[in-house]
Amino acid sequence: MKVIDIINKSEKTVFSFELLPPLKGNEATRIYKTIESLVDFDPKYINITTHRDEVEFREMPDGSIVKRTVRKRPGTVAIAASIQHRYGIPVVPHILCGGFTKSETEHVLIDLHFLGIENVLALRGDGIKNQHIFQPEKEGHANASELVKQIVNLKNGIYLEEDLKNSTPLDFCIGVAGYPEKHFEAPNKEQDLFYLKQKVDAGAEYIVTQMFFNNQMYYDFVKKCRENGITVPIIPGIKPINMKNQLTVLPKIFSIDLPLELSKELAKCKNNDEARQVGTEWAIYQSKDLVANNAPSLHIYTYGISDNVKEIVKAVF
């Protein structure tokens, strides 16, 4: 079932969450355990992240430095298909610009279609580590709007090879990302909204936000989107804090602010267990308020940790 249909047909806020594929060499057991701990709360769909190749420099025993290209978390398509067929829950694999050519993207979408997967989240993705400016692949997309257009073309049966005969349309529901506190590369919020509208105008059917910790940021963001002609559902993304160092790490990595009250409570924590409890309580507070204000869905970023997510959804749903 498509995410947009799930949202439109639901009379109340629904619940979804996001998982990372296992590290290369690892089994999927942990992912299955996470899902099984949450399945009783009726998650309506599950997002699966995609990860590009990374460049590493390793020192060899002789002191020389060797450059290697590695993909630490392969298997997005396979684990997504496994989850959907094992649990009957729709999955939303992420499709990236960064690290992928248009041809590779087309092949992935064909595979997803054959596997019965109907949803994707179209993202530009990050650049190569330590790369200050995002650089697309030589035959890749420069931004998410271009990626959405390619997926929409496939929905209309238009492939990269224009001379294909009797081409089959690949009908995906397309989600995109939005940033209540603006993308860190955008010069201002107005320009960021302009780029977001481009993605929606290109064919995106819903928006899921980056994590935020002040719900007013989300409400203001939704209001601004509506004023700018963006009418698709906007799903809030919730990240339960589970480690003390996230007090400083999350603002640095994601260019977001933590409310003063939350930051004060985290600063008092003596260890990760205490920080995790503070983070869980804050996420419950956020989630209850969002449900009370008719958010279409709550999308929780789990990163494979389910105990606190279980506590949150049990308190909210």
Side-chain angles (χ1 to χ4, degrees):
M1 193 172 184
K2 294 180 179 177
V3 169
I4 190 64
D5 294 331
I6 292 170
I7 292 170
N8 287 339
K9 291 178 181 179
S10 178
E11 296 179 355
K12 59 182 182 179
T13 304
V14 300
F15 151 59
S16 64
F17 60 94
E18 183 169 296
L19 293 170
L20 284 70
L23 288 165
K24 182 185 285 187
N26 289 2
E27 289 285 350
T29 308
R30 182 178 179 184
I31 283 181
Y32 297 144
K33 286 182 178 178
T34 297
I35 295 169
E36 286 160 10
S37 71
L38 297 172
V39 74
D40 287 344
F41 298 97
D42 193 25
K44 295 301 185 183
Y45 55 94
I46 300 172
N47 278 29
I48 311 296
T49 62
T50 294
H51 301 260
R52 65 178 297 164
D53 290 343
E54 298 179 26
V55 175
E56 290 185 341
F57 294 91
R58 292 197 176 183
E59 185 175 354
M60 305 305 289
D62 63 0
S64 62
I65 303 296
V66 175
K67 179 181 177 182
R68 297 199 326 159
T69 301
V70 297
R71 184 171 300 178
K72 295 180 179 179
R73 293 184 184 271
T76 294
V77 171
I79 198 68
S82 175
I83 290 168
Q84 183 161 297
H85 289 285
R86 181 183 285 238
Y87 300 102
I89 301 171
V91 291
V92 186
H94 294 186
I95 306 294
L96 304 184
C97 300
F100 298 89
T101 66
K102 297 173 187 176
S103 180
E104 288 171 331
T105 295
E106 184 174 89
H107 293 162
V108 166
L109 292 166
I110 290 170
D111 286 345
L112 293 174
H113 170 74
F114 286 146
L115 290 164
I117 294 171
E118 300 180 302
N119 301 285
V120 293
L121 189 71
L123 306 168
R124 191 200 70 177
D126 297 325
I128 296 172
K129 194 177 292 185
N130 300 322
Q131 185 183 72
H132 297 294
I133 299 174
F134 177 83
Q135 294 181 356
E137 298 301 301
K138 185 176 180 181
E139 298 296 330
H141 293 297
N143 55 61
S145 294
E146 293 180 3
L147 177 56
V148 170
K149 289 175 184 176
Q150 180 181 6
I151 302 170
V152 169
N153 279 342
L154 287 169
K155 290 176 72 167
N156 294 319
I158 302 170
Y159 289 69
L160 295 176
E161 297 174 50
E162 296 178 359
D163 58 349
L164 281 181
K165 304 296 183 183
N166 302 315
S167 55
T168 302
L170 308 183
D171 189 13
F172 292 100
C173 171
I174 307 168
V176 293
Y179 300 85
E181 297 176 66
K182 92 172 181 59
H183 191 278
F184 72 96
E185 293 179 13
N188 50 66
K189 288 187 175 183
E190 289 72 23
Q191 190 70 22
D192 202 31
L193 284 170
F194 173 79
Y195 293 140
L196 180 58
K197 191 170 190 304
Q198 281 188 324
K199 292 188 282 188
V200 173
D201 289 346
E205 296 171 80
Y206 70 94
I207 297 163
V208 59
T209 76
Q210 185 187 50
M211 69 182 73
F212 57 89
F213 294 91
N214 180 347
N215 283 4
Q216 193 59 48
M217 292 281 190
Y218 169 76
Y219 299 133
D220 291 346
F221 176 65
V222 172
K223 184 174 183 287
K224 282 289 187 183
C225 284
R226 303 308 184 222
E227 290 172 352
N228 282 270
I230 299 170
T231 60
V232 299
I234 301 174
I235 297 168
I238 300 296
K239 168 72 176 86
I241 287 176
N242 53 64
M243 289 188 290
K244 183 174 169 58
N245 69 356
Q246 288 176 333
L247 173 63
T248 53
V249 169
L250 291 178
K252 180 179 180 181
I253 294 177
F254 296 99
S255 298
I256 56 175
D257 286 339
L258 269 62
L260 180 60
E261 183 182 352
L262 174 59
S263 62
K264 281 183 174 179
E265 290 303 312
L266 287 171
K268 294 177 188 176
C269 295
K270 299 180 179 63
N271 51 51
N272 286 339
D273 287 341
E274 291 184 4
R276 186 187 182 98
Q277 189 56 42
V278 168
T280 300
E281 290 171 2
W282 191 268
I284 290 172
Y285 156 74
Q286 279 191 276
S287 298
K288 285 183 174 181
D289 181 70
L290 290 162
V291 170
N293 284 278
N294 302 313
S297 174
L298 292 184
H299 186 67
I300 302 181
Y301 297 109
T302 70
Y303 301 123
I305 300 171
S306 61
D307 290 349
N308 54 350
V309 178
K310 185 175 180 179
E311 191 174 339
I312 294 161
V313 295
K314 186 176 181 180
V316 177
F317 293 97

